[in-house]
Amino acid sequence: MSTSPSLIPPEVCDICLRLGQRIRTARLLRNWRQVDLVSRTGYARNTILKVEKGDPGTSLGTYLHILWVMGLAGELELIADPGLDRGGLSIALDAASKRAYLPRKIDDDF
């Protein structure tokens, strides 16, 4: 089941295109042919072509598997890392500073 290209924002398609180009460059830097990547991953050559063209309908798992085979999966750990999410951290800090707490009366009567 592939995703309709009309449902995917152009910015996401651009990200897929750049990722595909980077995967192709990584393959070439390793002096691997597409057939070599086919034999290492088990995917059809057509799937490798789609990944290298940045087809947004190709599964994320396929992209990740190819990156893993190339030894590039370690860098993926940085994606959406909560500690590096500046936008999310900013929102969390802003929300935390706006919380108002009423002082609680401490009951020391034992």
Side-chain angles (χ1 to χ4, degrees):
M1 181 172 87
S2 68
T3 306
S4 170
S6 62
L7 298 177
I8 300 174
E11 295 84 3
V12 174
C13 291
D14 291 342
I15 292 169
C16 290
L17 178 64
R18 288 192 306 273
L19 180 57
Q21 291 169 343
R22 290 176 183 168
I23 288 173
R24 182 177 190 278
T25 300
R27 176 180 59 78
L28 294 172
L29 287 172
R30 285 160 177 74
N31 291 320
W32 292 358
R33 300 167 300 160
Q34 286 180 338
V35 214
D36 298 326
L37 199 50
V38 164
S39 68
R40 292 170 192 255
T41 61
Y43 296 125
R45 186 168 179 267
N46 190 40
T47 302
I48 302 299
L49 285 168
K50 286 181 178 182
V51 167
E52 291 188 354
K53 288 182 179 182
D55 181 351
T58 305
S59 81
L60 178 61
T62 303
Y63 281 91
L64 297 178
H65 183 194
I66 290 171
L67 289 167
W68 177 79
V69 165
M70 291 183 172
L72 297 172
E75 287 78 4
L76 295 171
E77 293 297 321
L78 299 176
I79 295 174
D81 182 326
L84 300 175
D85 181 5
R86 292 181 183 161
L89 291 171
S90 173
I91 292 168
L93 288 173
D94 189 44
S97 67
K98 291 182 181 178
R99 290 186 185 137
Y101 296 99
L102 296 175
R104 293 183 186 174
K105 186 175 180 182
I106 299 175
D107 185 14
D108 288 344
D109 190 23
F110 295 105

